PDB file of all heavy atoms in Angstrom:
ATOM      1  N   THR A 232     -20.510   1.276  -0.298  1.00  0.00           N
ATOM      2  CA  THR A 232     -19.444   0.289  -0.113  1.00  0.00           C
ATOM      3  C   THR A 232     -18.284   0.445  -1.089  1.00  0.00           C
ATOM      4  O   THR A 232     -17.366  -0.368  -1.073  1.00  0.00           O
ATOM      5  CB  THR A 232     -19.997  -1.139  -0.246  1.00  0.00           C
ATOM      6  OG1 THR A 232     -20.592  -1.278  -1.530  1.00  0.00           O
ATOM      7  CG2 THR A 232     -21.024  -1.418   0.851  1.00  0.00           C
ATOM      8  N   PRO A 238      -2.979   5.565   1.309  1.00  0.00           N
ATOM      9  CA  PRO A 238      -2.272   5.274   0.068  1.00  0.00           C
ATOM     10  C   PRO A 238      -1.966   3.789  -0.084  1.00  0.00           C
ATOM     11  O   PRO A 238      -1.826   3.074   0.912  1.00  0.00           O
ATOM     12  CB  PRO A 238      -0.969   6.060   0.209  1.00  0.00           C
ATOM     13  CG  PRO A 238      -0.718   6.105   1.674  1.00  0.00           C
ATOM     14  CD  PRO A 238      -2.076   6.169   2.317  1.00  0.00           C
ATOM     15  N   VAL A 244       6.147  -7.121  -8.295  1.00  0.00           N
ATOM     16  CA  VAL A 244       6.479  -8.475  -7.863  1.00  0.00           C
ATOM     17  C   VAL A 244       7.237  -9.148  -9.001  1.00  0.00           C
ATOM     18  O   VAL A 244       6.730  -9.248 -10.112  1.00  0.00           O
ATOM     19  CB  VAL A 244       5.212  -9.290  -7.535  1.00  0.00           C
ATOM     20  CG1 VAL A 244       5.585 -10.685  -7.042  1.00  0.00           C
ATOM     21  CG2 VAL A 244       4.367  -8.560  -6.512  1.00  0.00           C
ATOM     22  N   ALA A 250      10.481 -22.340 -16.472  1.00  0.00           N
ATOM     23  CA  ALA A 250      11.568 -22.362 -17.447  1.00  0.00           C
ATOM     24  C   ALA A 250      12.618 -21.282 -17.155  1.00  0.00           C
ATOM     25  O   ALA A 250      13.552 -21.115 -17.919  1.00  0.00           O
ATOM     26  CB  ALA A 250      11.006 -22.189 -18.852  1.00  0.00           C
ATOM     27  N   MET A 256       4.837  -8.122 -12.132  1.00  0.00           N
ATOM     28  CA  MET A 256       3.431  -7.742 -11.978  1.00  0.00           C
ATOM     29  C   MET A 256       3.344  -6.551 -11.054  1.00  0.00           C
ATOM     30  O   MET A 256       4.031  -6.480 -10.047  1.00  0.00           O
ATOM     31  CB  MET A 256       2.658  -8.923 -11.391  1.00  0.00           C
ATOM     32  CG  MET A 256       1.210  -8.623 -11.115  1.00  0.00           C
ATOM     33  SD  MET A 256       0.451 -10.026 -10.269  1.00  0.00           S
ATOM     34  CE  MET A 256      -1.024  -9.223  -9.679  1.00  0.00           C
ATOM     35  N   TRP A 260      -2.206  -4.194  -3.728  1.00  0.00           N
ATOM     36  CA  TRP A 260      -2.751  -4.788  -2.513  1.00  0.00           C
ATOM     37  C   TRP A 260      -1.665  -5.573  -1.799  1.00  0.00           C
ATOM     38  O   TRP A 260      -1.639  -6.789  -1.800  1.00  0.00           O
ATOM     39  CB  TRP A 260      -3.950  -5.665  -2.821  1.00  0.00           C
ATOM     40  CG  TRP A 260      -5.126  -4.898  -3.322  1.00  0.00           C
ATOM     41  CD1 TRP A 260      -5.273  -3.549  -3.334  1.00  0.00           C
ATOM     42  CD2 TRP A 260      -6.306  -5.436  -3.894  1.00  0.00           C
ATOM     43  NE1 TRP A 260      -6.473  -3.197  -3.883  1.00  0.00           N
ATOM     44  CE2 TRP A 260      -7.141  -4.349  -4.236  1.00  0.00           C
ATOM     45  CE3 TRP A 260      -6.746  -6.706  -4.155  1.00  0.00           C
ATOM     46  CZ2 TRP A 260      -8.388  -4.519  -4.818  1.00  0.00           C
ATOM     47  CZ3 TRP A 260      -7.984  -6.874  -4.738  1.00  0.00           C
ATOM     48  CH2 TRP A 260      -8.796  -5.798  -5.052  1.00  0.00           C
ATOM     49  N   GLY A 265       4.559  -7.609   9.391  1.00  0.00           N
ATOM     50  CA  GLY A 265       5.365  -8.034  10.529  1.00  0.00           C
ATOM     51  C   GLY A 265       6.731  -7.394  10.410  1.00  0.00           C
ATOM     52  O   GLY A 265       7.013  -6.706   9.430  1.00  0.00           O
ATOM     53  N   VAL A 269       6.068  -9.459   4.516  1.00  0.00           N
ATOM     54  CA  VAL A 269       5.178  -8.701   3.644  1.00  0.00           C
ATOM     55  C   VAL A 269       4.023  -9.616   3.256  1.00  0.00           C
ATOM     56  O   VAL A 269       4.145 -10.840   3.274  1.00  0.00           O
ATOM     57  CB  VAL A 269       5.910  -8.208   2.374  1.00  0.00           C
ATOM     58  CG1 VAL A 269       6.960  -7.166   2.730  1.00  0.00           C
ATOM     59  CG2 VAL A 269       6.531  -9.364   1.601  1.00  0.00           C
ATOM     60  N   LEU A 271       0.824 -10.075   0.276  1.00  0.00           N
ATOM     61  CA  LEU A 271       0.281  -9.699  -1.025  1.00  0.00           C
ATOM     62  C   LEU A 271      -1.052 -10.387  -1.207  1.00  0.00           C
ATOM     63  O   LEU A 271      -1.206 -11.545  -0.835  1.00  0.00           O
ATOM     64  CB  LEU A 271       1.208 -10.145  -2.160  1.00  0.00           C
ATOM     65  CG  LEU A 271       2.669  -9.740  -2.104  1.00  0.00           C
ATOM     66  CD1 LEU A 271       3.445 -10.441  -3.222  1.00  0.00           C
ATOM     67  CD2 LEU A 271       2.796  -8.231  -2.224  1.00  0.00           C
ATOM     68  N   THR A 279       1.079 -15.502  -9.907  1.00  0.00           N
ATOM     69  CA  THR A 279       0.498 -16.425  -8.922  1.00  0.00           C
ATOM     70  C   THR A 279       0.986 -17.852  -9.191  1.00  0.00           C
ATOM     71  O   THR A 279       1.405 -18.562  -8.273  1.00  0.00           O
ATOM     72  CB  THR A 279      -1.025 -16.377  -8.960  1.00  0.00           C
ATOM     73  OG1 THR A 279      -1.467 -15.011  -9.075  1.00  0.00           O
ATOM     74  CG2 THR A 279      -1.646 -16.986  -7.715  1.00  0.00           C
ATOM     75  N   ALA A 299       5.567   4.591 -15.967  1.00  0.00           N
ATOM     76  CA  ALA A 299       4.939   4.016 -17.170  1.00  0.00           C
ATOM     77  C   ALA A 299       5.230   2.521 -17.274  1.00  0.00           C
ATOM     78  O   ALA A 299       4.339   1.721 -17.582  1.00  0.00           O
ATOM     79  CB  ALA A 299       5.405   4.754 -18.419  1.00  0.00           C
ATOM     80  N   ALA A 301       5.954   0.500 -14.786  1.00  0.00           N
ATOM     81  CA  ALA A 301       5.223  -0.155 -13.700  1.00  0.00           C
ATOM     82  C   ALA A 301       3.764  -0.358 -14.078  1.00  0.00           C
ATOM     83  O   ALA A 301       3.184  -1.413 -13.824  1.00  0.00           O
ATOM     84  CB  ALA A 301       5.341   0.649 -12.411  1.00  0.00           C
ATOM     85  N   ASP A 302       3.169   0.642 -14.709  1.00  0.00           N
ATOM     86  CA  ASP A 302       1.780   0.522 -15.155  1.00  0.00           C
ATOM     87  C   ASP A 302       1.675  -0.564 -16.224  1.00  0.00           C
ATOM     88  O   ASP A 302       0.763  -1.390 -16.202  1.00  0.00           O
ATOM     89  CB  ASP A 302       1.277   1.867 -15.674  1.00  0.00           C
ATOM     90  CG  ASP A 302      -0.224   1.890 -15.841  1.00  0.00           C
ATOM     91  OD1 ASP A 302      -0.964   1.559 -14.882  1.00  0.00           O
ATOM     92  OD2 ASP A 302      -0.682   2.252 -16.952  1.00  0.00           O
ATOM     93  N   GLY A 320      12.289  -2.400 -20.980  1.00  0.00           N
ATOM     94  CA  GLY A 320      13.665  -1.935 -21.028  1.00  0.00           C
ATOM     95  C   GLY A 320      14.429  -2.193 -19.744  1.00  0.00           C
ATOM     96  O   GLY A 320      15.593  -1.837 -19.616  1.00  0.00           O
ATOM     97  N   THR A 324      18.630  -9.153 -13.363  1.00  0.00           N
ATOM     98  CA  THR A 324      19.669 -10.030 -12.825  1.00  0.00           C
ATOM     99  C   THR A 324      18.984 -10.993 -11.843  1.00  0.00           C
ATOM    100  O   THR A 324      17.874 -10.744 -11.395  1.00  0.00           O
ATOM    101  CB  THR A 324      20.791  -9.249 -12.097  1.00  0.00           C
ATOM    102  OG1 THR A 324      20.215  -8.490 -11.042  1.00  0.00           O
ATOM    103  CG2 THR A 324      21.542  -8.328 -13.051  1.00  0.00           C
ATOM    104  N   ASP A 330      15.194 -17.423  -5.501  1.00  0.00           N
ATOM    105  CA  ASP A 330      15.066 -17.784  -6.909  1.00  0.00           C
ATOM    106  C   ASP A 330      14.042 -16.865  -7.578  1.00  0.00           C
ATOM    107  O   ASP A 330      12.919 -17.269  -7.877  1.00  0.00           O
ATOM    108  CB  ASP A 330      14.660 -19.261  -7.023  1.00  0.00           C
ATOM    109  CG  ASP A 330      14.755 -19.775  -8.451  1.00  0.00           C
ATOM    110  OD1 ASP A 330      15.284 -19.069  -9.327  1.00  0.00           O
ATOM    111  OD2 ASP A 330      14.281 -20.922  -8.693  1.00  0.00           O
ATOM    112  N   PRO A 332      13.866 -12.793  -9.982  1.00  0.00           N
ATOM    113  CA  PRO A 332      14.620 -11.755 -10.686  1.00  0.00           C
ATOM    114  C   PRO A 332      14.677 -10.444  -9.912  1.00  0.00           C
ATOM    115  O   PRO A 332      13.764 -10.109  -9.159  1.00  0.00           O
ATOM    116  CB  PRO A 332      13.823 -11.566 -11.986  1.00  0.00           C
ATOM    117  CG  PRO A 332      12.415 -11.889 -11.598  1.00  0.00           C
ATOM    118  CD  PRO A 332      12.523 -12.976 -10.550  1.00  0.00           C
ATOM    119  N   PRO A 338      15.061   1.083  -7.897  1.00  0.00           N
ATOM    120  CA  PRO A 338      16.144   1.314  -6.950  1.00  0.00           C
ATOM    121  C   PRO A 338      16.080   0.617  -5.603  1.00  0.00           C
ATOM    122  O   PRO A 338      17.090   0.534  -4.909  1.00  0.00           O
ATOM    123  CB  PRO A 338      16.140   2.830  -6.766  1.00  0.00           C
ATOM    124  CG  PRO A 338      14.845   3.312  -7.248  1.00  0.00           C
ATOM    125  CD  PRO A 338      14.308   2.291  -8.187  1.00  0.00           C
ATOM    126  N   ILE A 346       6.499 -17.891   2.755  1.00  0.00           N
ATOM    127  CA  ILE A 346       6.361 -18.718   3.956  1.00  0.00           C
ATOM    128  C   ILE A 346       4.928 -19.179   4.167  1.00  0.00           C
ATOM    129  O   ILE A 346       4.682 -20.109   4.931  1.00  0.00           O
ATOM    130  CB  ILE A 346       6.903 -18.014   5.221  1.00  0.00           C
ATOM    131  CG1 ILE A 346       6.150 -16.723   5.514  1.00  0.00           C
ATOM    132  CG2 ILE A 346       8.392 -17.781   5.105  1.00  0.00           C
ATOM    133  CD1 ILE A 346       6.430 -16.172   6.904  1.00  0.00           C
ATOM    134  N   GLY A 355      -6.746 -16.990  -7.298  1.00  0.00           N
ATOM    135  CA  GLY A 355      -6.034 -15.952  -6.540  1.00  0.00           C
ATOM    136  C   GLY A 355      -5.444 -16.497  -5.262  1.00  0.00           C
ATOM    137  O   GLY A 355      -5.698 -17.638  -4.868  1.00  0.00           O
ATOM    138  N   VAL A 358      -0.513 -14.166  -0.078  1.00  0.00           N
ATOM    139  CA  VAL A 358       0.863 -14.629   0.043  1.00  0.00           C
ATOM    140  C   VAL A 358       1.561 -13.853   1.176  1.00  0.00           C
ATOM    141  O   VAL A 358       1.469 -12.632   1.230  1.00  0.00           O
ATOM    142  CB  VAL A 358       1.646 -14.389  -1.270  1.00  0.00           C
ATOM    143  CG1 VAL A 358       3.069 -14.856  -1.157  1.00  0.00           C
ATOM    144  CG2 VAL A 358       0.931 -15.049  -2.437  1.00  0.00           C
ATOM    145  N   ASN A 364      16.533 -10.162   2.399  1.00  0.00           N
ATOM    146  CA  ASN A 364      17.534  -9.150   2.064  1.00  0.00           C
ATOM    147  C   ASN A 364      16.854  -7.986   1.381  1.00  0.00           C
ATOM    148  O   ASN A 364      15.806  -8.146   0.754  1.00  0.00           O
ATOM    149  CB  ASN A 364      18.620  -9.728   1.143  1.00  0.00           C
ATOM    150  CG  ASN A 364      19.767  -8.758   0.950  1.00  0.00           C
ATOM    151  OD1 ASN A 364      20.326  -8.216   1.903  1.00  0.00           O
ATOM    152  ND2 ASN A 364      20.136  -8.526  -0.295  1.00  0.00           N
ATOM    153  N   LEU A 372      19.999   6.489  -1.134  1.00  0.00           N
ATOM    154  CA  LEU A 372      20.398   6.409   0.264  1.00  0.00           C
ATOM    155  C   LEU A 372      20.828   7.764   0.800  1.00  0.00           C
ATOM    156  O   LEU A 372      21.403   8.582   0.071  1.00  0.00           O
ATOM    157  CB  LEU A 372      21.560   5.415   0.428  1.00  0.00           C
ATOM    158  CG  LEU A 372      21.283   3.975  -0.008  1.00  0.00           C
ATOM    159  CD1 LEU A 372      22.526   3.120   0.176  1.00  0.00           C
ATOM    160  CD2 LEU A 372      20.099   3.393   0.739  1.00  0.00           C
ATOM    161  N   LYS A 382      14.479  10.831  -2.124  1.00  0.00           N
ATOM    162  CA  LYS A 382      15.313  10.433  -3.261  1.00  0.00           C
ATOM    163  C   LYS A 382      14.667   9.301  -4.060  1.00  0.00           C
ATOM    164  O   LYS A 382      14.760   9.251  -5.285  1.00  0.00           O
ATOM    165  CB  LYS A 382      16.706  10.008  -2.785  1.00  0.00           C
ATOM    166  CG  LYS A 382      17.537  11.154  -2.249  1.00  0.00           C
ATOM    167  CD  LYS A 382      18.883  10.664  -1.768  1.00  0.00           C
ATOM    168  CE  LYS A 382      19.721  11.796  -1.225  1.00  0.00           C
ATOM    169  NZ  LYS A 382      21.044  11.314  -0.777  1.00  0.00           N
ATOM    170  N   TYR A 395      -1.727   7.687 -10.220  1.00  0.00           N
ATOM    171  CA  TYR A 395      -0.505   7.449  -9.438  1.00  0.00           C
ATOM    172  C   TYR A 395      -0.056   8.773  -8.863  1.00  0.00           C
ATOM    173  O   TYR A 395      -0.149   9.801  -9.518  1.00  0.00           O
ATOM    174  CB  TYR A 395       0.616   6.876 -10.333  1.00  0.00           C
ATOM    175  CG  TYR A 395       0.327   5.489 -10.845  1.00  0.00           C
ATOM    176  CD1 TYR A 395       0.211   5.249 -12.202  1.00  0.00           C
ATOM    177  CD2 TYR A 395       0.192   4.414  -9.977  1.00  0.00           C
ATOM    178  CE1 TYR A 395      -0.036   3.976 -12.688  1.00  0.00           C
ATOM    179  CE2 TYR A 395      -0.063   3.144 -10.450  1.00  0.00           C
ATOM    180  CZ  TYR A 395      -0.183   2.927 -11.815  1.00  0.00           C
ATOM    181  OH  TYR A 395      -0.429   1.662 -12.273  1.00  0.00           O
ATOM    182  N   ASN A 404       7.491  13.849  13.008  1.00  0.00           N
ATOM    183  CA  ASN A 404       8.448  12.843  13.471  1.00  0.00           C
ATOM    184  C   ASN A 404       7.701  11.720  14.166  1.00  0.00           C
ATOM    185  O   ASN A 404       7.098  11.938  15.235  1.00  0.00           O
ATOM    186  CB  ASN A 404       9.463  13.480  14.415  1.00  0.00           C
ATOM    187  CG  ASN A 404      10.298  14.515  13.705  1.00  0.00           C
ATOM    188  OD1 ASN A 404      11.000  14.189  12.743  1.00  0.00           O
ATOM    189  ND2 ASN A 404      10.218  15.764  14.141  1.00  0.00           N
ATOM    190  N   ASP A 408       6.383  13.121  18.001  1.00  0.00           N
ATOM    191  CA  ASP A 408       5.450  14.256  18.057  1.00  0.00           C
ATOM    192  C   ASP A 408       4.291  14.034  19.008  1.00  0.00           C
ATOM    193  O   ASP A 408       3.852  14.991  19.670  1.00  0.00           O
ATOM    194  CB  ASP A 408       4.935  14.577  16.648  1.00  0.00           C
ATOM    195  CG  ASP A 408       6.022  15.103  15.730  1.00  0.00           C
ATOM    196  OD1 ASP A 408       7.124  15.427  16.231  1.00  0.00           O
ATOM    197  OD2 ASP A 408       5.777  15.210  14.515  1.00  0.00           O
ATOM    198  N   ARG A 411       4.202  15.211  22.851  1.00  0.00           N
ATOM    199  CA  ARG A 411       3.897  16.592  23.275  1.00  0.00           C
ATOM    200  C   ARG A 411       2.507  16.723  23.863  1.00  0.00           C
ATOM    201  O   ARG A 411       2.213  17.682  24.571  1.00  0.00           O
ATOM    202  CB  ARG A 411       4.017  17.545  22.069  1.00  0.00           C
ATOM    203  CG  ARG A 411       5.435  17.647  21.526  1.00  0.00           C
ATOM    204  CD  ARG A 411       5.529  18.758  20.495  1.00  0.00           C
ATOM    205  NE  ARG A 411       4.557  18.574  19.426  1.00  0.00           N
ATOM    206  CZ  ARG A 411       4.848  18.473  18.125  1.00  0.00           C
ATOM    207  NH1 ARG A 411       6.102  18.552  17.745  1.00  0.00           N
ATOM    208  NH2 ARG A 411       3.914  18.333  17.236  1.00  0.00           N
TER     209      ARG A 411
END
Side-chain angles (χ1 to χ4, degrees):
T232 59
V244 182
M256 177 186 164
W260 293 350
V269 293
L271 307 173
T279 318
D302 193 53
T324 58
D330 190 9
I346 61 167
V358 180
N364 188 50
L372 300 179
K382 291 179 180 181
Y395 293 118
N404 296 299
D408 293 349
R411 295 189 305 237

